[in-house]
Amino acid sequence: MSQPETHEFQAEVKQLLDLVVHSLYSDRDIFLRELVSNASDAIDKRRFEALTHTELGGEGEPQITLVTNAEAHTLSISDTGIGMTRAEVVTNIGTIAKSGTKEFLKRAGSGEVKLPELIGQFGVGFYSAFMVADRIELVTRKAGEATATRWISTGDGSYTIEDATRDDIGTTVTLHLKAADPDEGTDYTNASTLRRIVKHYSDFVAYPIKLGDDTLNSMKAIWDRPKSEVTEDEYKQFYRHIAHDWTDPLRTIPVKMEGTIEAYALLYLPAKAPMDLYNPEMKRGLQLYVKRVFVMDECKDLMPPYLRFVRGVVDAHDLSLNVSREILQKDRQIAVIRKQLVKKVLGTLEELARDDADKYKAFWSELGPVVKEGLLAPDAATEKDKLLELVLSPSTTQASTSIAAYIERMKEGQEAIYFLSGASREAVAKSPLLEAFVAKGFEVLLFSDPIDELWLERAPEFRGKPMHSIGRGDIKLDGDETVDKAKAAEFGDLLSCLRVHLQEEIKEVRLSQRLTTSPVVLVADENDLSPRVAKMLEQMGQAPPKQKRILEVNPNHPLIAKLQAIFLASNADPRLEQCAKLLLGQAHLVESGTVPDQAAFAATLIDIMLRAT
Ligand code: ADP
Ligand code: MG
């Protein structure tokens, strides 16, 4: 047996230890997660080695054992893993090999990087145990070796290393715990404390974590088991566990990523919209694991807001356990994983729409409005086409249709996809704007979710066809041009007269091709904001310049014919102004259920009634 040798830690490790020991890192419990994760990695490695060198396999079941001694105030973590040689202990526990570490420490020293971020950048792993221990003893014996190695340090700059004996292959880390801080009071020799921490961070670690006769973890990480080996019921139970939703999920989506990024995920689409879907405080995001070790709840960077109802876990194998939320936001791996997950979710929805239309309809009525938020998300540009494929909407002929199915029913020669959007299902379905379209057999999509106007405002295209609002611009539906010209000449003066009376609000009065039974309708100019969007902006304090609308008049309506007669008899007849105002008022009423100046509208109405009775 050789004499104990004392080694200085590598300078970077010293600095790191200093930071760890003296930092006010709030979540000390994570030390156990780190040591259990190292133990689990070591067992993985040994099992891998044993595939080719069976003699390294060992007899018993692999396991991780916790032993406490309340009197001596110690906690030890033992594993049946691969162990380390003396040289490995020196390199693994005495130095930090990771590239870039020196640079980071330099920046930490200069105050450029915050400590939690720094800790997140590279696994402090083993060293985090110095948050709770003032002396650590590690005894390890490598598979295939006869002697063991003992490593001891108080975390103050040096460690001693010597040969030792250990009956079995594996590693034991013994923590001489700091005297419990009276404020914190966490006693890491307490069984229920250990049980709680293991449940929280290490529940799905693949090997039993034992304390006495108890196994503290469930080990049931079903996300990295092949789909064929997991029962439907296990998937459902796991969903309940993570989503706290007792309704069965609509779809379960296991994801496996290999190649440049290794990750597993298990995602669920809920059958019902969560209650807090529109609450900004909503708990959203996925759980993040690194090789079965829990890292973070509600990791928002893994799912875009428009898919915030998706629940599940992601197990990213190459992340650091200590990754912080700040770092995740910028992490390239996370961005790649998110992209793949989004693709998978949208693909699953597409599949559902194709294979089970009724189920998809039910899904869409619950969650469609949220999915449509994606059509507005600046970072979802690449998904926009996919999202449009998923949109369902009622139309003038269908209770519910996709835009693709609409296109299949389009009339010969029809260039654009016609839609109308408005405040409510009823208002839209009864809008006078539809009259000529219905009469001439053009189908119109009817949108009425608050979000619709916002994305439709951006003039989307679908499969190369423009989507055109029928409440906007000048619409020509196969009319007869000579008849139109004659009508325009006939009513030209009346239209000018109406415009004069309405000029505060209306920029143009013109004949309509949209109407068959209503006398007038309000429309917007091709490039104007829709009235509801303008109103929303106003409510948000971003009032747009007031936009005047266009009033279209139906020359075939008896009331218009009557006005024409009055006008021809005397262009100064006071009834002309009154009728102009009432016509505009009722156009507003039909569109949105209210008139801008209700008192004036009522007064004019009463006046007209008085004359008529
Ligand atoms: P990381 O786990 O991110 O590599 P750690 O600081 O947690 O960083 O551990 C450093 C290294 O020490 C590990 O990579 C491993 O090689 C070695 N090690 C730590 N604990 C054990 C153990 N229980 N058994 C075998 N090797 C270990
Ligand atoms: Mg580690």
Side-chain angles (χ1 to χ4, degrees), residues 48-102:
F48 182 74
E49 288 291 320
L51 292 178
T52 44
H53 306 277
T54 33
E55 72 281 7
L56 300 181
E59 258 123 63
E61 283 294 302
Q63 63 176 46
I64 298 163
T65 314
L66 307 183
V67 175
T68 60
N69 183 335
E71 264 161 42
H73 212 48
T74 60
L75 165 65
S76 71
I77 298 100
S78 300
D79 64 64
T80 57
I82 188 87
M84 284 177 274
T85 64
R86 183 169 173 147
E88 282 169 339
V89 173
V90 172
T91 38
N92 294 343
I93 312 280
T95 60
I96 305 178
K98 290 180 182 101
S99 62
T101 306
K102 287 184 192 180

Coordinates of all heavy atoms in Angstrom, one line a residue, residues 48-102:
F48 N -22.6 -1.6 -20.2 CA -22.2 -1.5 -21.5 C -20.9 -2.3 -21.7 O -20.7 -3.1 -22.7 CB -22.0 -0.1 -21.9 CG -21.5 0.1 -23.3 CD1 -22.5 -0.1 -24.4 CD2 -20.2 0.4 -23.7 CE1 -22.1 0.1 -25.7 CE2 -19.8 0.6 -25.0 CZ -20.8 0.4 -26.0
E49 N -19.9 -2.2 -20.8 CA -18.7 -2.9 -20.9 C -18.9 -4.4 -20.8 O -18.3 -5.2 -21.6 CB -17.8 -2.5 -19.7 CG -17.2 -1.1 -19.8 CD -16.2 -1.0 -20.9 OE1 -15.4 -2.0 -21.1 OE2 -16.2 0.0 -21.6
A50 N -19.9 -4.8 -20.0 CA -20.1 -6.2 -19.8 C -20.7 -6.9 -21.0 O -20.7 -8.1 -21.2 CB -21.1 -6.4 -18.6
L51 N -21.2 -6.1 -22.0 CA -21.7 -6.7 -23.2 C -20.6 -7.4 -23.9 O -20.8 -8.5 -24.6 CB -22.3 -5.6 -24.1 CG -23.6 -4.9 -23.6 CD1 -24.0 -3.8 -24.6 CD2 -24.7 -5.9 -23.5
T52 N -19.4 -6.8 -23.9 CA -18.3 -7.5 -24.6 C -17.3 -8.2 -23.6 O -16.6 -9.1 -24.0 CB -17.5 -6.4 -25.4 OG1 -17.3 -5.3 -24.5 CG2 -18.2 -6.0 -26.6
H53 N -17.3 -7.8 -22.3 CA -16.4 -8.4 -21.4 C -17.3 -8.9 -20.2 O -17.5 -8.3 -19.2 CB -15.4 -7.5 -20.8 CG -14.5 -6.8 -21.9 ND1 -13.5 -7.4 -22.5 CD2 -14.7 -5.6 -22.5 CE1 -12.9 -6.6 -23.4 NE2 -13.7 -5.5 -23.4
T54 N -17.9 -10.1 -20.4 CA -18.9 -10.6 -19.5 C -18.4 -10.7 -18.0 O -19.1 -10.5 -17.1 CB -19.4 -12.0 -19.9 OG1 -18.4 -12.7 -20.5 CG2 -20.6 -11.8 -20.9
E55 N -17.1 -10.9 -17.9 CA -16.5 -11.0 -16.5 C -16.7 -9.7 -15.7 O -16.6 -9.7 -14.5 CB -15.1 -11.5 -16.6 CG -14.0 -10.4 -17.0 CD -14.0 -10.2 -18.6 OE1 -14.8 -10.8 -19.3 OE2 -13.1 -9.5 -19.0
L56 N -16.9 -8.6 -16.4 CA -17.0 -7.3 -15.7 C -18.5 -7.1 -15.2 O -18.7 -6.1 -14.5 CB -16.6 -6.2 -16.6 CG -15.2 -6.2 -17.1 CD1 -15.0 -5.0 -18.0 CD2 -14.2 -6.2 -16.0
G57 N -19.3 -8.0 -15.5 CA -20.8 -7.8 -15.2 C -21.2 -7.8 -13.8 O -22.1 -7.1 -13.4
G58 N -20.6 -8.6 -13.0 CA -21.0 -8.7 -11.6 C -22.2 -9.6 -11.4 O -22.9 -9.9 -12.4
E59 N -22.4 -10.0 -10.1 CA -23.5 -11.0 -9.9 C -24.8 -10.4 -9.6 O -25.8 -10.7 -10.3 CB -23.1 -11.9 -8.8 CG -22.6 -13.3 -9.3 CD -21.2 -13.6 -8.8 OE1 -21.0 -13.7 -7.6 OE2 -20.3 -13.7 -9.7
G60 N -24.9 -9.5 -8.6 CA -26.2 -9.0 -8.1 C -26.8 -8.1 -9.1 O -26.3 -7.7 -10.2
E61 N -28.0 -7.6 -8.7 CA -28.7 -6.6 -9.5 C -28.0 -5.3 -9.3 O -27.5 -4.9 -8.2 CB -30.1 -6.4 -8.9 CG -31.1 -7.5 -9.4 CD -31.3 -7.5 -10.9 OE1 -31.8 -6.5 -11.4 OE2 -31.0 -8.5 -11.5
P62 N -27.8 -4.5 -10.4 CA -27.3 -3.2 -10.2 C -28.1 -2.3 -9.3 O -29.4 -2.4 -9.4 CB -27.2 -2.6 -11.6 CG -28.1 -3.5 -12.4 CD -28.2 -4.8 -11.8
Q63 N -27.5 -1.6 -8.4 CA -28.3 -0.7 -7.6 C -27.5 0.5 -7.0 O -26.3 0.4 -7.0 CB -29.1 -1.5 -6.5 CG -28.1 -2.2 -5.5 CD -28.9 -2.8 -4.4 OE1 -29.9 -3.5 -4.7 NE2 -28.5 -2.6 -3.2
I64 N -28.3 1.4 -6.5 CA -27.7 2.6 -5.8 C -28.2 2.5 -4.4 O -29.4 2.4 -4.2 CB -28.2 3.9 -6.5 CG1 -27.7 3.9 -8.0 CG2 -27.7 5.1 -5.8 CD1 -28.4 4.9 -8.9
T65 N -27.3 2.7 -3.5 CA -27.7 2.5 -2.1 C -27.4 3.8 -1.3 O -26.3 4.3 -1.3 CB -27.0 1.3 -1.4 OG1 -27.0 0.2 -2.3 CG2 -27.6 0.9 -0.1
L66 N -28.4 4.2 -0.5 CA -28.1 5.4 0.4 C -28.0 4.8 1.8 O -28.8 4.0 2.2 CB -29.3 6.4 0.4 CG -29.7 6.9 -1.0 CD1 -30.8 7.9 -0.9 CD2 -28.5 7.5 -1.8
V67 N -27.0 5.3 2.6 CA -26.8 4.9 4.0 C -26.6 6.1 4.8 O -25.8 7.0 4.4 CB -25.6 3.9 4.2 CG1 -25.4 3.6 5.6 CG2 -25.8 2.6 3.4
T68 N -27.4 6.2 5.9 CA -27.3 7.4 6.7 C -26.8 7.1 8.1 O -27.0 5.9 8.6 CB -28.6 8.1 6.9 OG1 -29.5 7.2 7.5 CG2 -29.2 8.6 5.6
N69 N -26.1 8.0 8.7 CA -25.7 7.9 10.1 C -26.0 9.2 10.8 O -25.2 10.1 10.6 CB -24.2 7.5 10.2 CG -23.8 7.2 11.6 OD1 -24.4 7.8 12.6 ND2 -22.8 6.4 11.8
A70 N -27.1 9.2 11.5 CA -27.5 10.5 12.1 C -26.5 11.0 13.1 O -26.2 12.2 13.2 CB -28.9 10.4 12.7
E71 N -25.9 10.1 13.9 CA -25.0 10.5 15.0 C -23.7 11.1 14.4 O -23.2 12.1 14.8 CB -24.6 9.3 15.8 CG -25.5 9.3 17.1 CD -25.5 7.9 17.7 OE1 -24.4 7.3 17.8 OE2 -26.6 7.4 18.1
A72 N -23.2 10.3 13.4 CA -21.9 10.8 12.8 C -22.2 11.9 11.8 O -21.3 12.5 11.2 CB -21.2 9.6 12.1
H73 N -23.5 12.1 11.5 CA -23.9 13.1 10.6 C -23.3 12.9 9.2 O -22.7 13.8 8.6 CB -23.5 14.5 11.1 CG -24.5 15.6 10.7 ND1 -25.8 15.4 10.9 CD2 -24.3 16.8 10.2 CE1 -26.4 16.5 10.4 NE2 -25.5 17.4 10.0
T74 N -23.5 11.7 8.7 CA -23.0 11.3 7.3 C -24.1 10.7 6.5 O -25.1 10.2 7.0 CB -21.8 10.3 7.4 OG1 -22.3 9.1 8.0 CG2 -20.6 10.8 8.2
L75 N -23.9 10.9 5.2 CA -24.8 10.3 4.2 C -23.8 9.7 3.1 O -22.9 10.4 2.7 CB -25.7 11.3 3.5 CG -26.4 10.9 2.2 CD1 -27.4 9.8 2.5 CD2 -27.1 12.2 1.6
S76 N -24.0 8.4 2.8 CA -23.2 7.9 1.7 C -24.1 7.4 0.6 O -25.2 6.9 0.8 CB -22.3 6.8 2.2 OG -23.0 5.7 2.6
I77 N -23.5 7.5 -0.6 CA -24.2 7.0 -1.8 C -23.3 6.0 -2.5 O -22.2 6.4 -2.9 CB -24.5 8.2 -2.8 CG1 -25.4 9.2 -2.1 CG2 -25.1 7.7 -4.1 CD1 -24.7 10.4 -1.6
S78 N -23.7 4.8 -2.6 CA -22.9 3.7 -3.2 C -23.6 3.2 -4.5 O -24.8 3.2 -4.6 CB -22.8 2.5 -2.2 OG -22.2 2.9 -1.0
D79 N -22.7 2.8 -5.4 CA -23.3 2.2 -6.6 C -22.5 1.0 -7.0 O -21.4 0.8 -6.5 CB -23.3 3.2 -7.7 CG -21.9 3.7 -8.1 OD1 -21.1 2.8 -8.6 OD2 -21.6 4.9 -8.0
T80 N -23.1 0.2 -7.8 CA -22.4 -1.0 -8.3 C -21.9 -0.8 -9.7 O -21.9 -1.7 -10.6 CB -23.4 -2.2 -8.3 OG1 -24.6 -1.8 -9.1 CG2 -23.9 -2.6 -6.9
G81 N -21.5 0.5 -10.0 CA -21.1 0.8 -11.3 C -19.7 0.5 -11.7 O -19.1 -0.3 -11.0
I82 N -19.2 1.1 -12.7 CA -17.9 0.7 -13.3 C -16.7 1.0 -12.4 O -15.7 0.4 -12.5 CB -17.7 1.4 -14.7 CG1 -16.5 1.0 -15.4 CG2 -17.7 3.0 -14.5 CD1 -16.8 -0.2 -16.3
G83 N -16.8 2.0 -11.5 CA -15.7 2.4 -10.7 C -14.7 3.2 -11.4 O -14.8 3.4 -12.6
M84 N -13.6 3.6 -10.7 CA -12.6 4.4 -11.3 C -11.2 3.9 -10.9 O -11.1 3.4 -9.7 CB -12.7 5.9 -10.9 CG -13.8 6.7 -11.6 SD -13.8 8.4 -11.0 CE -14.9 8.2 -9.6
T85 N -10.2 3.9 -11.7 CA -8.9 3.7 -11.3 C -8.3 4.9 -10.6 O -9.0 6.0 -10.7 CB -8.0 3.4 -12.5 OG1 -7.9 4.6 -13.3 CG2 -8.5 2.3 -13.4
R86 N -7.2 4.7 -10.0 CA -6.6 5.9 -9.3 C -6.4 7.0 -10.2 O -6.7 8.2 -9.9 CB -5.3 5.4 -8.6 CG -4.7 6.5 -7.8 CD -3.5 5.9 -7.0 NE -2.8 6.9 -6.3 CZ -2.2 6.8 -5.2 NH1 -2.3 5.6 -4.5 NH2 -1.5 7.7 -4.6
A87 N -5.8 6.7 -11.4 CA -5.6 7.7 -12.4 C -6.8 8.4 -12.8 O -6.9 9.6 -13.0 CB -4.8 7.1 -13.6
E88 N -7.9 7.6 -13.0 CA -9.2 8.2 -13.4 C -9.7 9.2 -12.3 O -10.3 10.2 -12.6 CB -10.2 7.1 -13.7 CG -10.0 6.5 -15.1 CD -10.8 5.2 -15.3 OE1 -11.2 4.6 -14.3 OE2 -11.0 4.9 -16.5
V89 N -9.5 8.8 -11.1 CA -10.0 9.6 -10.0 C -9.3 11.0 -10.1 O -9.9 12.0 -10.0 CB -9.8 9.0 -8.6 CG1 -10.1 10.0 -7.5 CG2 -10.6 7.7 -8.4
V90 N -8.0 10.9 -10.3 CA -7.2 12.2 -10.4 C -7.7 13.1 -11.5 O -8.0 14.2 -11.4 CB -5.7 11.9 -10.5 CG1 -5.0 13.2 -10.8 CG2 -5.2 11.2 -9.3
T91 N -8.0 12.4 -12.7 CA -8.4 13.3 -13.8 C -9.9 13.7 -13.7 O -10.3 14.8 -13.9 CB -8.2 12.6 -15.2 OG1 -8.5 11.3 -15.1 CG2 -6.9 12.9 -15.8
N92 N -10.7 12.7 -13.3 CA -12.2 13.0 -13.3 C -12.6 13.9 -12.1 O -13.5 14.8 -12.3 CB -13.0 11.7 -13.2 CG -12.8 10.9 -14.4 OD1 -12.4 11.4 -15.5 ND2 -13.2 9.6 -14.3
I93 N -12.0 13.7 -11.0 CA -12.4 14.5 -9.8 C -11.5 15.6 -9.5 O -11.8 16.5 -8.7 CB -12.7 13.5 -8.6 CG1 -13.5 12.3 -9.0 CG2 -13.3 14.2 -7.4 CD1 -14.9 12.5 -9.0
G94 N -10.3 15.6 -10.1 CA -9.4 16.7 -9.7 C -9.3 17.8 -10.7 O -8.7 18.9 -10.5
T95 N -9.8 17.6 -11.9 CA -9.7 18.6 -13.0 C -11.1 18.8 -13.6 O -12.0 18.0 -13.5 CB -8.7 18.2 -14.1 OG1 -9.2 17.0 -14.6 CG2 -7.3 17.9 -13.5
I96 N -11.1 19.9 -14.4 CA -12.3 20.0 -15.2 C -11.8 20.0 -16.7 O -11.0 20.8 -17.1 CB -13.0 21.4 -15.0 CG1 -13.4 21.5 -13.5 CG2 -14.3 21.5 -15.8 CD1 -14.0 22.9 -13.2
A97 N -12.2 19.0 -17.4 CA -11.7 18.8 -18.7 C -12.5 19.6 -19.7 O -12.0 19.8 -20.8 CB -11.8 17.3 -19.0
K98 N -13.7 20.0 -19.4 CA -14.5 20.5 -20.4 C -13.9 21.8 -21.0 O -13.4 22.7 -20.3 CB -15.9 20.8 -19.8 CG -16.6 19.5 -19.5 CD -18.0 19.8 -18.9 CE -18.7 18.5 -18.6 NZ -18.6 18.1 -17.2
S99 N -14.0 21.9 -22.3 CA -13.4 23.0 -23.0 C -14.3 24.2 -22.7 O -15.5 24.2 -22.4 CB -13.4 22.7 -24.5 OG -14.7 22.6 -24.9
G100 N -13.6 25.4 -22.7 CA -14.3 26.6 -22.5 C -14.5 26.9 -21.0 O -14.9 28.0 -20.7
T101 N -14.2 26.0 -20.1 CA -14.4 26.2 -18.7 C -13.6 27.4 -18.2 O -14.0 28.2 -17.5 CB -14.1 24.9 -17.9 OG1 -14.9 23.9 -18.5 CG2 -14.4 25.1 -16.5
K102 N -12.3 27.3 -18.6 CA -11.4 28.4 -18.2 C -11.9 29.7 -18.5 O -11.9 30.7 -17.7 CB -10.0 28.2 -18.8 CG -9.2 27.0 -18.2 CD -7.8 26.9 -18.8 CE -7.3 25.5 -18.4 NZ -6.0 25.3 -18.9

